Amino acid sequence: MTYPDVPISPNSTPETSLPFPSLEGETLLAYNTLVSTLYRCLHDNAGFQPFFDSFQQHFKALQGGILGLSTNPLRMVYGWTFGYPEGFEEWYINSDLPERDEALTRYVQLPPRQFDSFLRGDTSRTILDILGPESRAWAEQVGMGDSAGMLVTRKSGTNVVFMANRHKEFGPYSADELLQMNLLAPHIENAVALHMKLYETRSDNQSLAMALNHVKKPIIVFNALGNIAQVNDAALTLLDKSKGLSISGNQQLQSADSRITRKLQDAITTCIVHSHKGLLSPQTVFAISRGERIAVCLTPLIAESAENNGVLAELFGFDASLDPDLPRLQRLFQCTPAEAAVAADLTEGLSATEIADRKQISIHTARQHIKNLLAKNGYRKQTELVSKLVRALG
C-alpha cells in the first residue's frame, strides 16, 4: 500500500520511498519522548501502558493496542490494549469478530513496519463509508473517525499488529501524522521483539520445573504469549493417557475436537488479558471425549514484572461414567439437594439452558439455582463458582 501523492518505484521499498518529515520544536520533543517511553517499557512492570498513554496524547488516539493474531483462523491470542471499555477484550477474544474486522484484515496484509490508515487524510469521507455493517455499528457507537495500524512482525503463524483508532472529533490521521508513525514503526518492532524475548527467557524454567514436580496434581504453566512454558510430570502422565488432550508441536494445549481447542485458546488468551490488568478471574474449559472428561481450570498469573505474567492451568480428570458426589457438594457449598444437582451439572460444563433441558425445568429455575449458589458462597461470577466446584470434586 502507498500513501496519496507518494509514488513508489518498482525497485524501491516503502521505508526508503516515504518522505522524511521535518520534526522541530515541540513536535520533535514529543516524538523523542514517545521513543524513550517505548523503550522504558522494557524495564517497567506496567507493560506497554506508559507508551500507550504517550501515544494516545500525541496522536489523539481513542483506543487500540498491540495484538498477537493467529493466521487461520484470524484470532487474538495475546495482546496489550488501551482505551476499550471494561470487558471488551474478553468479549472480543471469545467472538468471531477478529475474522470480520476490516482493520485487522487490512493491517496483517501490510508490509512490516509500514503504517496505513483508512482515510489517509481524506476529509471528504468518513470511516463509516468504508466499514462493513458489523464494524460500522461499533464505530458509530464509540464515535470512531479513523483507524491507523501496522504489521509489526509475522512469525511462526502469528501476526503481531499495532493499531490505533481515533475519535471523529479529531478528524482523520493526517499525512504528517502517518509519516511520524512510520518513524516510530521500527522502534515499535524492536520493542515488541525484545519484549517477547524477555517473556521467553526471564523466567527460571529449571527452578519452575523442579517446583511444579513437587506438586502431585497435573499443572501446566503458559507464558504471556499463550505458549506452554512448563508441564509437570503429573500433567504429562495425564495427557499421555488422554484420548482427547495433547500438546502440539508449537507448545500449545490442544484437543482432538477443534471446537474445544478454540475454547482453550480463547480462555487462555482471556486469562492473559486478565493478568495484564491484575485480575485473578479464572476460566474453566471442559474437554469431553469418548468417556473421558477433563476440566482445565485456568488462573491468571500476575508477577512483579509483566514479562513473567502468564496462566496456571490445573487439569482434573473425571470418569464420565461416575455420578458426582452430591452429598459432598451440599456440605461444601451449603446448598439444597436441587442446587447440588445443578452444581454437579456445572462441573460437566453445562450451561443454564442445557441444565434446564436435562432436568426438565424452566430456564428461570435453573438460573435461580445458580444465583443461589453464587450468593451462598460469596462468588460474583459463574466462572469463579465453576472453578471452585471442579476443584472440590477433583
Side-chain angles (χ1 to χ4, degrees):
M1 289 188 180
T2 61
Y3 296 93
D5 305 319
V6 182
I8 295 183
S9 68
N11 298 321
S12 64
T13 64
E15 292 89 336
T16 57
S17 300
L18 289 170
F20 197 89
S22 176
L23 302 182
E24 298 177 352
E26 292 184 4
T27 303
L28 178 60
L29 179 62
Y31 172 80
N32 287 335
T33 300
L34 264 175
V35 174
S36 62
T37 302
L38 174 61
Y39 285 114
R40 278 204 307 273
C41 290
L42 298 175
H43 308 284
D44 194 315
N45 62 8
F48 285 104
Q49 192 57 52
F51 171 67
F52 291 154
D53 292 341
S54 295
F55 188 96
Q56 273 189 284
Q57 183 176 3
H58 186 75
F59 292 106
K60 299 180 177 65
L62 172 67
Q63 57 199 194
I66 298 169
L67 309 179
L69 305 163
S70 62
T71 53
N72 188 22
L74 186 66
R75 309 277 299 171
M76 178 176 166
V77 292
Y78 60 85
W80 300 265
T81 62
F82 65 89
Y84 292 101
E86 184 177 353
F88 173 82
E89 292 94 336
E90 293 90 322
W91 169 73
Y92 192 75
I93 291 164
N94 291 281
S95 72
D96 293 319
L97 282 180
E99 298 171 59
R100 304 192 298 277
D101 190 315
E102 288 93 339
L104 295 183
T105 303
R106 188 187 193 103
Y107 303 145
V108 297
Q109 293 173 350
L110 288 171
R113 304 177 303 283
Q114 179 174 315
F115 270 93
D116 192 16
S117 73
F118 274 74
L119 296 180
R120 300 177 179 174
D122 185 355
T123 57
S124 67
R125 298 186 301 164
T126 73
I127 196 170
L128 302 181
D129 299 327
I130 302 172
L131 298 177
E134 199 163 12
S135 297
R136 187 162 58 243
W138 165 256
E140 285 182 312
Q141 181 181 346
V142 300
M144 190 189 303
D146 198 4
S147 179
M150 67 174 265
L151 174 66
V152 179
T153 184
R154 182 180 288 118
K155 180 181 178 183
S156 303
T158 300
N159 295 316
V160 180
V161 165
F162 178 91
M163 63 178 296
N165 300 328
R166 191 179 204 175
H167 197 275
K168 61 184 179 184
E169 70 175 286
F170 298 114
Y173 288 109
S174 68
D176 183 65
E177 286 174 317
L178 286 172
L179 290 169
Q180 286 188 48
M181 290 181 190
N182 276 295
L183 286 179
L184 272 175
H187 296 295
I188 293 174
E189 180 192 36
N190 290 340
V192 170
L194 289 168
H195 208 68
M196 292 170 69
K197 196 67 178 174
L198 290 174
Y199 275 114
E200 295 169 355
T201 60
R202 275 204 180 175
S203 60
D204 187 343
N205 286 332
Q206 185 174 3
S207 298
L208 178 60
M210 292 175 62
L212 289 182
N213 279 327
H214 283 292
V215 181
K216 299 305 179 185
K217 66 173 65 175
I219 291 179
I220 299 175
V221 174
F222 297 87
N223 63 21
L225 303 179
N227 296 323
I228 293 174
Q230 287 296 338
V231 188
N232 71 355
D233 291 341
L236 289 173
T237 300
L238 185 150
L239 293 174
D240 187 55
K241 295 178 180 178
S242 171
K243 305 178 184 70
L245 279 185
S246 61
I247 296 175
S248 68
N250 58 351
Q251 291 301 294
Q252 294 184 334
L253 188 61
Q254 65 180 10
S255 168
D257 185 332
S258 60
R259 293 169 300 178
I260 296 174
T261 297
R262 176 168 163 174
K263 287 182 180 179
L264 282 167
Q265 292 172 347
D266 289 350
I268 291 166
T269 304
T270 299
C271 283
I272 291 170
V273 169
H274 285 166
S275 73
H276 294 325
K277 295 181 176 181
L279 302 175
L280 289 171
S281 183
Q283 303 282 316
T284 304
V285 177
F286 296 89
I288 302 171
S289 175
R290 291 176 286 178
E292 167 189 89
R293 177 160 52 92
I294 298 177
V296 183
C297 291
L298 301 159
T299 305
L301 289 176
I302 303 169
E304 289 185 6
S305 298
E307 65 269 11
N308 290 330
N309 286 354
V311 182
L312 176 73
E314 300 170 78
L315 279 58
F316 298 89
F318 297 92
D319 186 338
S321 65
L322 298 179
D323 293 329
D325 189 341
L326 297 184
R328 179 177 175 81
L329 288 175
Q330 278 187 256
R331 290 195 306 272
L332 292 177
F333 291 88
Q334 309 171 53
C335 57
T336 66
E339 292 164 353
V342 168
D345 288 342
L346 290 173
T347 67
E348 295 183 28
L350 299 186
S351 66
T353 301
E354 291 167 331
I355 292 171
D357 289 342
R358 172 185 280 189
K359 298 195 174 307
Q360 296 297 295
I361 58 178
S362 70
I363 183 64
H364 172 77
T365 301
R367 286 175 176 160
Q368 189 58 52
H369 286 321
I370 294 172
K371 287 180 181 178
N372 292 343
L373 286 163
L374 290 168
K376 289 180 178 180
N377 295 280
Y379 301 125
R380 294 179 303 162
K381 297 181 179 179
Q382 187 171 321
T383 53
E384 297 174 353
L385 172 65
V386 172
S387 176
K388 296 299 183 183
L389 288 169
V390 167
R391 289 184 171 96
L393 293 180

